[in-house]
Structure formats: C-alpha cells, structure tokens
C-alpha cells in the first residue's frame, strides 16, 4: 500500500471515527501493557462465503464474547478456517473469494466501507496451524516485528519491556530470556508457536484467532499452549479452531459445532456453553461428533 493511500485511509477512518486518534495514541504506549489490553466482543452476523461459485458457508451467526474462549469444532472441510479468516479480513486475499454478512467488533462492522483492512488485522490477530516465525530474525525482533507494520513507534526501553511482557504472557520468557538475540528458527516447534503468540500480542490485539495452533505440536507443547490460552483470557478474546475434543473441553468456555452435510455449505449445527455441548447436546449430530463417531 502506498503512503498516499494510507494517509487517505487514515483520514477516512478519522472522519468515520473521531475517537480513533485517541485510541491510536493509547495503543502507541507499549509500556502500558496490561492497562492497554482491551478485549472486544466479536459478533458474526449471517455470514455466508464463496470461493467462485462454490458456497462454503451459509448464514453463520455467532457471538464470541470478550474475555472468553470460543472453540470452533467440526470435521475437515466444513468451513472453520474460512470462517476464522473472515473474522479478520483474510478471506478477501483469495482472488475468487466473496462473502456476505457482517462482522462486528464491539458493535463496529470491520467490513464497513472506509474501514482499512489493516485496522481489522491489527485488532484481530491470527496464529496459524504451522508456527511461522521469521526464522533468521532474532527472538527479540520476532516479537517486535508487527510494531512497524502497524505504525506503532516505540523506543528501546519500551521495546525491551514489551518483549519481556509478551514473552511472559506467551509462557516463553523463562526459556528464552538469556538468548533473545538467537534466531527464532532455532527454537522447538512448541516454542516457535509461543513466539508467534508473543508476536501477535505485541500489537495489542483485542481478539486472537487461532487455527489449530497445536496440531503440529507434541503433547507437552500442546499443554503449554493450553496453559497460555488460559492465562490470556483477561488480555484478549480468543477464538480457537481445534480437532481435539479434549482440547476444546479443556480450554473453551463455549463451542460452536460446524458441519457441511452432503455437499451443502458449512453451517453451525449447535453452539453453547462447552459443558452443555459435551454433556447435554441438543442435536444428535453434535452427540455423534463430540463422542468421536465421525469426522
Ligand atoms: N483457497 C481456496 N480456494 C477454493 N476453495 C477453498 C479454498 N480454501 C478452502 N476452500 C474450500 O472451502 C471449504 C471449507 O474449507 P476450510 O474453511 O478450509 O474448512 P475447515 O477449516 O473446516 O477444514 C472446503 O470445501 C475447501 O475445499
Ligand atoms: Mg481448517
């Protein structure tokens, strides 16, 4: 994006949201870490999605409350990743992709005309299945990598504090505090994934989306990430896709069960409190799925 476009978009954003400048100033104080965290409620309203003519999601509505962990479960191909990508405007990166419906971040539609894509991405972070740190970049620089891209200016001391704080929150600080200048690529898979979580946290997202963040990890690293998720709930709203039912039961407050039956688009069969979804599901398909009878 050219500077000119960026400036224009910034102005448009400011006109649409006069408090924006103030929020940006608040966000530019990395030192004020914990005070700066501000988890938001994310609400999907009648989301349908297509790749070309292929409709892959139909009428998905779901509220993902602030300070809660929402787990998205369901068999492969039912549209969980597509839904997650729609929640932070990554779906539109695919040329053939389209969607309808609204995504509200504390009531504001992230798809409103005039809203910048970067605005949504900054507030709604994403952690992927395969850890993707910048392998040659130091652990320290990996954590601060998002700052510049998000236009956040920080001095050396602020950065030091931010790196420690984010690595701490991601449950990695003790393991790497003595080797912050070593490359991110030298860490184990589980450590790399926690580094990616730290990197996401550094730009103070209000929501963190995680697409099967543990599926490439061993059981010990998986437990470590699950602990991290627990510790983050006061900082950020979490939405996690998982194929592991025990994990969904352990980490989430509420669950949404997605299904795409016989060539129909994916939709939510049932959603609710995690306890109820596992112990007293209302739909027989949910019962079968959570008990491992298919998928
Ligand atoms: N980039 C893409 N281009 C075309 N079709 C896609 C693309 N990504 C996903 N799909 C299709 O969208 C549907 C949902 O996929 P996905 O969201 O990845 O499901 P899940 O994450 O639940 O496994 C599938 O039919 C898949 O083939
Ligand atoms: Mg997926």
């Amino acid at each position: 994006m050219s500077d000119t476009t960026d400036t224009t978009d910034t102005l448009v954003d400011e006109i649409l949201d006069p408090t924006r400048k103030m929020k940006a100033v608040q966000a530019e104080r990395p030192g004020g870490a914990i005070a700066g965290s501000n988890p938001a409620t994310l609400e999907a309203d009648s989301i349908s999605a297509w790749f070309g003519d292929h409709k892959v999601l139909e009428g998905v509505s779901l509220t993902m409350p602030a300070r809660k962990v929402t787990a998205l479960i369901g068999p492969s191909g039912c549209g969980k990743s597509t839904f997650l990508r729609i929640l932070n405007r990554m779906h539109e990166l695919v040329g053939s992709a389209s969607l309808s419906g609204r995504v509200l971040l504390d009531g504001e539609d992230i798809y409103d005309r005039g809203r910048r894509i970067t605005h949504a991405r900054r507030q709604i972070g994403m952690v992927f299945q395969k850890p993707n740190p910048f392998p040659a970049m130091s652990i320290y620089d990996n954590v601060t990598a998002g700052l510049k891209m998000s236009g956040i200016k920080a001095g050396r001391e602020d950065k030091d504090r931010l790196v420690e704080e984010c690595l701490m929150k991601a449950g990695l600080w003790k393991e790497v505090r003595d080797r912050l200048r070593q490359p991110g690529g030298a860490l184990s898979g589980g450590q790399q994934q926690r580094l990616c979580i730290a990197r996401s946290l550094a730009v103070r997202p209000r929501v963190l989306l995680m697409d099967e963040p543990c599926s490439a990890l061993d059981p010990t690293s998986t437990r470590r990430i699950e602990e991290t998720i627990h510790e983050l709930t006061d900082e950020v709203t979490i939405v996690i896709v998982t194929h592991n039912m025990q994990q969904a039961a352990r980490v989430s407050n509420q669950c949404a069960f997605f299904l795409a039956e016989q060539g129909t688009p994916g939709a939510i069969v049932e959603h609710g409190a995690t306890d109820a979804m596992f112990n007293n599901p209302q739909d027989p398909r949910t019962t079968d799925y959570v008990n491992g009878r298919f998928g």
Side-chain angles (χ1 to χ4, degrees), residues 66-84:
R67 295 185 176 80
K68 301 283 182 219
V69 179
T70 299
L72 310 181
I73 59 173
S76 283
C78 64
K80 304 179 300 295
S81 293
T82 302
F83 180 66
L84 212 61

PDB file of all heavy atoms in Angstrom, residues 66-84:
ATOM      1  N   ALA A  66     -16.203 -11.103  24.816  1.00  0.00           N
ATOM      2  CA  ALA A  66     -14.923 -10.623  25.345  1.00  0.00           C
ATOM      3  C   ALA A  66     -14.513 -11.448  26.556  1.00  0.00           C
ATOM      4  O   ALA A  66     -15.353 -11.856  27.356  1.00  0.00           O
ATOM      5  CB  ALA A  66     -15.044  -9.148  25.724  1.00  0.00           C
ATOM      6  N   ARG A  67     -13.216 -11.693  26.681  1.00  0.00           N
ATOM      7  CA  ARG A  67     -12.635 -12.422  27.820  1.00  0.00           C
ATOM      8  C   ARG A  67     -13.090 -13.867  27.921  1.00  0.00           C
ATOM      9  O   ARG A  67     -13.015 -14.474  28.976  1.00  0.00           O
ATOM     10  CB  ARG A  67     -12.927 -11.711  29.142  1.00  0.00           C
ATOM     11  CG  ARG A  67     -12.272 -10.355  29.229  1.00  0.00           C
ATOM     12  CD  ARG A  67     -12.458  -9.714  30.576  1.00  0.00           C
ATOM     13  NE  ARG A  67     -11.728  -8.469  30.645  1.00  0.00           N
ATOM     14  CZ  ARG A  67     -12.151  -7.332  30.132  1.00  0.00           C
ATOM     15  NH1 ARG A  67     -13.315  -7.279  29.521  1.00  0.00           N
ATOM     16  NH2 ARG A  67     -11.417  -6.251  30.205  1.00  0.00           N
ATOM     17  N   LYS A  68     -13.598 -14.417  26.814  1.00  0.00           N
ATOM     18  CA  LYS A  68     -13.984 -15.830  26.791  1.00  0.00           C
ATOM     19  C   LYS A  68     -13.208 -16.531  25.684  1.00  0.00           C
ATOM     20  O   LYS A  68     -12.723 -15.892  24.743  1.00  0.00           O
ATOM     21  CB  LYS A  68     -15.483 -15.989  26.513  1.00  0.00           C
ATOM     22  CG  LYS A  68     -16.372 -15.315  27.513  1.00  0.00           C
ATOM     23  CD  LYS A  68     -16.459 -16.112  28.800  1.00  0.00           C
ATOM     24  CE  LYS A  68     -17.407 -15.448  29.777  1.00  0.00           C
ATOM     25  NZ  LYS A  68     -16.943 -15.523  31.150  1.00  0.00           N
ATOM     26  N   VAL A  69     -13.123 -17.846  25.803  1.00  0.00           N
ATOM     27  CA  VAL A  69     -12.522 -18.646  24.749  1.00  0.00           C
ATOM     28  C   VAL A  69     -13.660 -19.377  24.023  1.00  0.00           C
ATOM     29  O   VAL A  69     -14.425 -20.109  24.642  1.00  0.00           O
ATOM     30  CB  VAL A  69     -11.525 -19.678  25.316  1.00  0.00           C
ATOM     31  CG1 VAL A  69     -10.922 -20.511  24.194  1.00  0.00           C
ATOM     32  CG2 VAL A  69     -10.426 -18.980  26.118  1.00  0.00           C
ATOM     33  N   THR A  70     -13.743 -19.137  22.721  1.00  0.00           N
ATOM     34  CA  THR A  70     -14.730 -19.829  21.900  1.00  0.00           C
ATOM     35  C   THR A  70     -14.006 -20.859  21.044  1.00  0.00           C
ATOM     36  O   THR A  70     -13.050 -20.514  20.350  1.00  0.00           O
ATOM     37  CB  THR A  70     -15.474 -18.834  20.980  1.00  0.00           C
ATOM     38  OG1 THR A  70     -16.166 -17.882  21.792  1.00  0.00           O
ATOM     39  CG2 THR A  70     -16.472 -19.552  20.080  1.00  0.00           C
ATOM     40  N   ALA A  71     -14.442 -22.116  21.103  1.00  0.00           N
ATOM     41  CA  ALA A  71     -13.838 -23.153  20.263  1.00  0.00           C
ATOM     42  C   ALA A  71     -14.754 -23.450  19.088  1.00  0.00           C
ATOM     43  O   ALA A  71     -15.972 -23.571  19.245  1.00  0.00           O
ATOM     44  CB  ALA A  71     -13.611 -24.425  21.071  1.00  0.00           C
ATOM     45  N   LEU A  72     -14.143 -23.534  17.890  1.00  0.00           N
ATOM     46  CA  LEU A  72     -14.889 -23.929  16.693  1.00  0.00           C
ATOM     47  C   LEU A  72     -14.498 -25.368  16.397  1.00  0.00           C
ATOM     48  O   LEU A  72     -13.319 -25.669  16.204  1.00  0.00           O
ATOM     49  CB  LEU A  72     -14.527 -23.032  15.503  1.00  0.00           C
ATOM     50  CG  LEU A  72     -14.569 -21.518  15.744  1.00  0.00           C
ATOM     51  CD1 LEU A  72     -14.208 -20.767  14.462  1.00  0.00           C
ATOM     52  CD2 LEU A  72     -15.948 -21.090  16.246  1.00  0.00           C
ATOM     53  N   ILE A  73     -15.491 -26.256  16.389  1.00  0.00           N
ATOM     54  CA  ILE A  73     -15.212 -27.669  16.152  1.00  0.00           C
ATOM     55  C   ILE A  73     -16.025 -28.151  14.951  1.00  0.00           C
ATOM     56  O   ILE A  73     -16.997 -27.503  14.548  1.00  0.00           O
ATOM     57  CB  ILE A  73     -15.526 -28.538  17.398  1.00  0.00           C
ATOM     58  CG1 ILE A  73     -16.998 -28.397  17.815  1.00  0.00           C
ATOM     59  CG2 ILE A  73     -14.618 -28.145  18.570  1.00  0.00           C
ATOM     60  CD1 ILE A  73     -17.410 -29.361  18.937  1.00  0.00           C
ATOM     61  N   GLY A  74     -15.610 -29.298  14.403  1.00  0.00           N
ATOM     62  CA  GLY A  74     -16.327 -29.866  13.259  1.00  0.00           C
ATOM     63  C   GLY A  74     -15.357 -30.540  12.319  1.00  0.00           C
ATOM     64  O   GLY A  74     -14.148 -30.260  12.361  1.00  0.00           O
ATOM     65  N   PRO A  75     -15.868 -31.440  11.462  1.00  0.00           N
ATOM     66  CA  PRO A  75     -14.987 -32.198  10.572  1.00  0.00           C
ATOM     67  C   PRO A  75     -14.256 -31.320   9.566  1.00  0.00           C
ATOM     68  O   PRO A  75     -14.665 -30.174   9.327  1.00  0.00           O
ATOM     69  CB  PRO A  75     -15.939 -33.147   9.827  1.00  0.00           C
ATOM     70  CG  PRO A  75     -17.300 -32.939  10.372  1.00  0.00           C
ATOM     71  CD  PRO A  75     -17.293 -31.762  11.278  1.00  0.00           C
ATOM     72  N   SER A  76     -13.224 -31.843   8.948  1.00  0.00           N
ATOM     73  CA  SER A  76     -12.467 -31.110   7.923  1.00  0.00           C
ATOM     74  C   SER A  76     -13.380 -30.690   6.786  1.00  0.00           C
ATOM     75  O   SER A  76     -14.290 -31.417   6.414  1.00  0.00           O
ATOM     76  CB  SER A  76     -11.386 -32.014   7.315  1.00  0.00           C
ATOM     77  OG  SER A  76     -10.330 -32.115   8.201  1.00  0.00           O
ATOM     78  N   GLY A  77     -13.119 -29.517   6.263  1.00  0.00           N
ATOM     79  CA  GLY A  77     -13.839 -29.060   5.073  1.00  0.00           C
ATOM     80  C   GLY A  77     -15.172 -28.388   5.366  1.00  0.00           C
ATOM     81  O   GLY A  77     -15.881 -27.989   4.442  1.00  0.00           O
ATOM     82  N   CYS A  78     -15.537 -28.211   6.643  1.00  0.00           N
ATOM     83  CA  CYS A  78     -16.851 -27.619   6.928  1.00  0.00           C
ATOM     84  C   CYS A  78     -16.771 -26.090   7.030  1.00  0.00           C
ATOM     85  O   CYS A  78     -17.774 -25.441   7.308  1.00  0.00           O
ATOM     86  CB  CYS A  78     -17.448 -28.226   8.189  1.00  0.00           C
ATOM     87  SG  CYS A  78     -16.502 -27.881   9.668  1.00  0.00           S
ATOM     88  N   GLY A  79     -15.591 -25.516   6.797  1.00  0.00           N
ATOM     89  CA  GLY A  79     -15.511 -24.062   6.689  1.00  0.00           C
ATOM     90  C   GLY A  79     -15.001 -23.338   7.925  1.00  0.00           C
ATOM     91  O   GLY A  79     -15.092 -22.107   7.996  1.00  0.00           O
ATOM     92  N   LYS A  80     -14.407 -24.060   8.865  1.00  0.00           N
ATOM     93  CA  LYS A  80     -13.931 -23.406  10.102  1.00  0.00           C
ATOM     94  C   LYS A  80     -12.825 -22.393   9.799  1.00  0.00           C
ATOM     95  O   LYS A  80     -12.848 -21.272  10.290  1.00  0.00           O
ATOM     96  CB  LYS A  80     -13.417 -24.459  11.104  1.00  0.00           C
ATOM     97  CG  LYS A  80     -14.430 -25.529  11.453  1.00  0.00           C
ATOM     98  CD  LYS A  80     -13.862 -26.558  12.415  1.00  0.00           C
ATOM     99  CE  LYS A  80     -12.644 -27.303  11.872  1.00  0.00           C
ATOM    100  NZ  LYS A  80     -12.915 -28.161  10.705  1.00  0.00           N
ATOM    101  N   SER A  81     -11.847 -22.807   8.979  1.00  0.00           N
ATOM    102  CA  SER A  81     -10.742 -21.880   8.668  1.00  0.00           C
ATOM    103  C   SER A  81     -11.252 -20.696   7.853  1.00  0.00           C
ATOM    104  O   SER A  81     -10.812 -19.563   8.061  1.00  0.00           O
ATOM    105  CB  SER A  81      -9.639 -22.596   7.890  1.00  0.00           C
ATOM    106  OG  SER A  81      -9.017 -23.558   8.702  1.00  0.00           O
ATOM    107  N   THR A  82     -12.166 -20.972   6.940  1.00  0.00           N
ATOM    108  CA  THR A  82     -12.728 -19.881   6.137  1.00  0.00           C
ATOM    109  C   THR A  82     -13.426 -18.879   7.055  1.00  0.00           C
ATOM    110  O   THR A  82     -13.232 -17.661   6.937  1.00  0.00           O
ATOM    111  CB  THR A  82     -13.726 -20.438   5.105  1.00  0.00           C
ATOM    112  OG1 THR A  82     -13.041 -21.394   4.293  1.00  0.00           O
ATOM    113  CG2 THR A  82     -14.307 -19.339   4.243  1.00  0.00           C
ATOM    114  N   PHE A  83     -14.206 -19.399   7.992  1.00  0.00           N
ATOM    115  CA  PHE A  83     -14.910 -18.524   8.937  1.00  0.00           C
ATOM    116  C   PHE A  83     -13.909 -17.678   9.735  1.00  0.00           C
ATOM    117  O   PHE A  83     -14.069 -16.463   9.862  1.00  0.00           O
ATOM    118  CB  PHE A  83     -15.777 -19.374   9.875  1.00  0.00           C
ATOM    119  CG  PHE A  83     -16.537 -18.578  10.886  1.00  0.00           C
ATOM    120  CD1 PHE A  83     -17.548 -17.702  10.485  1.00  0.00           C
ATOM    121  CD2 PHE A  83     -16.256 -18.685  12.238  1.00  0.00           C
ATOM    122  CE1 PHE A  83     -18.262 -16.957  11.416  1.00  0.00           C
ATOM    123  CE2 PHE A  83     -16.958 -17.934  13.178  1.00  0.00           C
ATOM    124  CZ  PHE A  83     -17.961 -17.072  12.759  1.00  0.00           C
ATOM    125  N   LEU A  84     -12.853 -18.342  10.220  1.00  0.00           N
ATOM    126  CA  LEU A  84     -11.838 -17.631  11.004  1.00  0.00           C
ATOM    127  C   LEU A  84     -11.193 -16.521  10.168  1.00  0.00           C
ATOM    128  O   LEU A  84     -10.987 -15.406  10.646  1.00  0.00           O
ATOM    129  CB  LEU A  84     -10.779 -18.633  11.468  1.00  0.00           C
ATOM    130  CG  LEU A  84     -10.101 -18.380  12.792  1.00  0.00           C
ATOM    131  CD1 LEU A  84     -11.110 -18.375  13.938  1.00  0.00           C
ATOM    132  CD2 LEU A  84      -9.029 -19.439  13.068  1.00  0.00           C
TER     133      LEU A  84
END
